[in-house]
């Protein structure tokens, strides 16, 4: 009996690596500490009522952002471990399998569990406020989307300490991801973690398309929407077409592994290239899913801190919509070298070059917006200005990669790694940092400390260029990605050491950001205006943080930058006619999204290990939750006028 338990434990828990053992111990200590604090301060009920069962879009957005910051830490540690391994030739810091696991989890976490939730968090915080809505179209579905993401992310991350992480690369190409070459459970964790969170992402895309189309304030025509809302709409269009491809692709891979199907195995009549086509039919649009909202953030920030109307509004809208369409016609440039033929390569080379045109339009529009503007160099604006040269270089190297013959030199090299990170860090991460700093006062009612923010900014930017510029040269010198070590005679050592130093500078920048948040929470100066930056759009017309119902009276929109126009009128003494208050219809909290998503975690965990005794009852529980929701009729309530008056008086400091 004891031997059986020992055998099971040795297979179930990851053993033999001191770093993983340290992670297991630290996770256990952190969990005990969290339970102790919640119990000691009697916060379990508060946590359940205010957060775990909340359907308030603002709280859901904050939870997305908290998860994203934690995943940035996890993915960043993975990156630093890889850079330590590659800093010097013939380093034995990580063994080959552990290195493969780390670069696999780093890619998945940074794209799907860091960038996506940070994006969704900003969606939730900003979009309903920008369009003058009191919530999203489907609050229950919004909560379910978050918890599906959360439990999918937990399922993926638990593989680090239980069962073993996947090690077939962040896109899991077969045959390496097949049962023959990945016989353990790590690849199953990959499939089910992404699958569960992907369902939540798809639901979010549907929810925000409906919200934007159907929940806009009176008078807000489509061509009067703020640019960030347009960017969200464009991104969600891609989501609803791209994520079903990912869902089907991972389902087919699971059928290959679990039931012995042969969709992607040559010896059974399948074709691995079908997987590569499918995964990139999702994977390249995914890049634009995360970068388009960053473009929207830059548009808001540039207009606000230049104190000018955004230059070329119509061209910006059409550029975003063109990108959302063209993003589905570029996927084959990821395998120019795989023998598709000259005609196919030429087509995808042209589409890849073409998509750079609407992106260039945006850059010129931002520059023209700043031209002769009264620019204020606050932290959000600094991140925006830093983005422009960074993204221009990334875009130019992308055009180089789009030249099919040249790609035979660049393909699979560190030149590609440098380009990829230049676009995703310089475009996506810089953009979301700008948005986080910009809308932080709207979330919490105070600004983040500017002094510490600028220290973080400079460490991030200097570290970024020190880390990734050498990698372009390493790629041209012949260093390919996925290498975990190299010899002295390759001549790659000095540039790799410089790159590693840059990586640690970015790690220091992250520490500054954590310090900045902690310091600002303790020493913040409350924003009593609701308009911390002198904003132009509707979210700045209400108190910070926004009340539960957002708007006591739904605004009547007359212009693109309606709040800016309203302030101009107020400065001239023109006051809008007062509107009578009415009871406000709001959705009730629900425990079903949390419980249902947690059951999906056990469904996934059961399939990972082949434990049908766990997966089938958990699936039945999911069905019961769906039935319970179907027969729940008491789902909403009204906030009475007196309560609205009390809330507004407290937040605005005046009698209403």
């Amino acid at each position: 009996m004891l031997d059986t338990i020992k055998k099971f434990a040795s297979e179930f828990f990851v053993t033999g690596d001191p770093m993983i053992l340290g992670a297991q111990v630290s996770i256990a200590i952190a969990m005990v500490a969290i339970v102790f604090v919640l119990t000691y301060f009697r916060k379990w009920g508060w946590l359940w009522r205010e957060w775990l069962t909340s359907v308030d879009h603002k709280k859901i957005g904050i939870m997305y952002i908290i998860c994203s910051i934690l995943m940035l830490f996890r993915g960043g540690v993975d990156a630093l471990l890889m850079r330590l391994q590659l800093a010097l030739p013939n380093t034995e810091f990580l063994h080959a399998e552990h290195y493969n696991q780390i670069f696999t989890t780093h890619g998945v976490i940074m794209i799907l569990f860091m960038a996506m939730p940070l994006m969704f968090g900003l969606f939730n915080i900003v979009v309903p406020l920008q369009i003058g809505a009191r919530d999203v179209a489907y609050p229950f579905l919004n909560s379910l989307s978050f918890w599906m993401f959360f439990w999918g992310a937990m399922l993926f991350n638990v593989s680090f300490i239980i069962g073993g992480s996947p090690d077939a690369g962040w896109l899991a190409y077969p045959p390496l991801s097949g049962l023959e070459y990945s016989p353990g459970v790590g690849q199953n964790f990959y499939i089910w973690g992404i699958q569960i969170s992907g369902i939540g992402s798809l639901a979010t895309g549907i929810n925000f398309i409906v919200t934007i189309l159907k929940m806009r304030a009176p008078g807000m025509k489509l061509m009067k929407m703020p640019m960030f809302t347009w960017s969200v709409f464009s991104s969600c269009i891609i989501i609803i077409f791209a994520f079903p491809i990912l869902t089907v692709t991972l389902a087919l891979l699971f059928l290959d592994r679990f039931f012995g199907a042969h969709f992607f195995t040559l010896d059974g009549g399948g074709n691995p290239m079908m997987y590569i086509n499918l995964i990139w039919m999702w994977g390249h649009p995914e890049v634009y899913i995360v970068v388009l909202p960053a473009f929207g953030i830059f548009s808001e920030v540039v207009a606000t801190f230049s104190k000018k109307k955004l230059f070329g509004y119509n061209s910006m809208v059409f550029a975003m919509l063109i990108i959302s369409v063209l993003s589905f016609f570029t996927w084959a440039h990821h395998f120019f070298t795989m023998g598709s033929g000259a005609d196919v390569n030429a087509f995808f080379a042209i589409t890849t070059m073409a998509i750079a045109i609407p992106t260039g339009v945006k850059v010129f529009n931002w520059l023209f917006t700043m031209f002769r503007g009264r620019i204020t160099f606050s932290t959000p604006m600094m991140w925006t200005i830093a983005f422009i040269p960074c993204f221009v270089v990334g875009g130019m190297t992308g055009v180089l990669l789009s030249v099919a013959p040249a790609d035979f030199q660049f393909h699979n090299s560190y030149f590609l790694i440098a380009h990829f990170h230049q676009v995703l860090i310089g475009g996506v991460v810089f953009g979301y940092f700008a948005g986080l700093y910009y809308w932080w006062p709207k979330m919490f009612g105070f600004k983040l400390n500017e002094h510490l923010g600028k220290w973080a900014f400079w460490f991030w930017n200097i570290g970024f260029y020190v880390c990734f510029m050498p990698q372009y040269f390493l790629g041209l010198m012949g260093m390919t990605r996925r290498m975990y070590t190299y010899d002295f005679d390759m001549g790659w050592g000095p540039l790799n050491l410089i790159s590693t130093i840059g990586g640690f500078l970015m790690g220091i920048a992250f520490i500054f950001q954590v310090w900045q948040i902690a310091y600002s929470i303790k020493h913040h100066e409350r924003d009593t205006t609701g308009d911390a930056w002198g904003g132009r759009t509707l979210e700045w017309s209400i108190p910070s943080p926004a009340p539960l119902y957002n708007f006591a009276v739904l605004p009547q929109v007359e212009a693109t930058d309606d709040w800016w126009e309203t302030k101009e009128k107020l400065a001239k003494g023109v006051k809008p006619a007062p509107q009578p208050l009415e009871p406000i219809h709001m959705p009730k909290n629900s425990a079903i999204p949390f419980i249902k998503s947690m059951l999906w975690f056990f469904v996934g965990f059961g399939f990972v290990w082949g434990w049908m005794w766990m997966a089938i009852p958990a699936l039945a529980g999911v069905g019961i939750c769906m039935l319970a929701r179907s027969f729940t009729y008491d789902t909403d309530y009204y906030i009475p006028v007196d309560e609205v008056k009390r809330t507004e008086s407290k937040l605005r400091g005046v009698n209403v």
Side-chain angles (χ1 to χ4, degrees), residues 262-322:
H262 293 285
F263 291 104
F264 307 126
T265 50
L266 282 172
D267 58 352
N271 188 348
M273 274 301 297
M274 181 169 73
Y275 179 93
I276 296 173
N277 272 280
L278 287 171
I279 202 70
W280 279 116
M281 286 172 71
W282 161 79
H284 202 81
E286 165 66 16
V287 174
Y288 295 100
I289 287 172
V290 293
V291 82
L292 280 171
F295 292 163
I297 292 168
F298 294 134
S299 300
E300 302 290 347
V301 170
V302 164
T304 296
F305 290 97
S306 299
K307 296 180 176 61
K308 282 179 63 182
K309 187 179 287 292
L310 183 69
F311 180 88
Y313 176 94
N314 290 353
S315 64
M316 292 285 273
V317 171
F318 291 125
M320 285 185 182
L321 294 176
I322 289 167

Side-chain angles (χ1 to χ4, degrees), residues 100-132:
N100 288 345
Q101 291 174 345
I102 285 175
F103 85 67
T104 298
T105 56
H106 169 74
V108 174
I109 286 170
M110 286 304 207
I111 295 292
L112 292 171
F113 301 138
M114 188 282 288
M116 290 289 284
L118 186 49
M119 176 182 81
F120 288 150
L122 294 173
F123 282 16
N124 272 278
I125 296 294
V126 179
V127 170
L129 301 182
Q130 279 201 336
I131 64 174

Side-chain angles (χ1 to χ4, degrees), residues 387-466:
F387 147 82
I388 293 175
C390 187
F391 198 77
V392 167
V393 173
M396 289 191 297
T397 55
V399 173
L400 290 175
L401 287 162
S402 75
V403 180
D407 197 59
F408 280 79
Q409 172 67 37
F410 303 136
H411 184 75
N412 217 32
S413 73
Y414 261 73
F415 188 95
L416 174 62
I417 296 295
H419 158 75
F420 186 71
H421 285 84
Q422 182 117 30
V423 173
L424 284 179
I425 295 179
V428 176
V429 178
F430 284 14
Y432 292 169
F433 283 167
L436 198 59
Y437 283 105
Y438 182 59
W439 283 302
W440 186 276
K442 187 52 58 180
M443 288 187 275
F444 299 107
F446 62 91
K447 292 181 183 179
L448 289 172
N449 181 270
E450 285 279 305
H451 180 70
L452 291 172
K454 287 173 181 175
W455 274 98
F457 169 84
W458 286 112
F459 268 101
W460 260 108
N461 278 269
I462 294 169
F464 172 82
Y465 286 104
V466 172

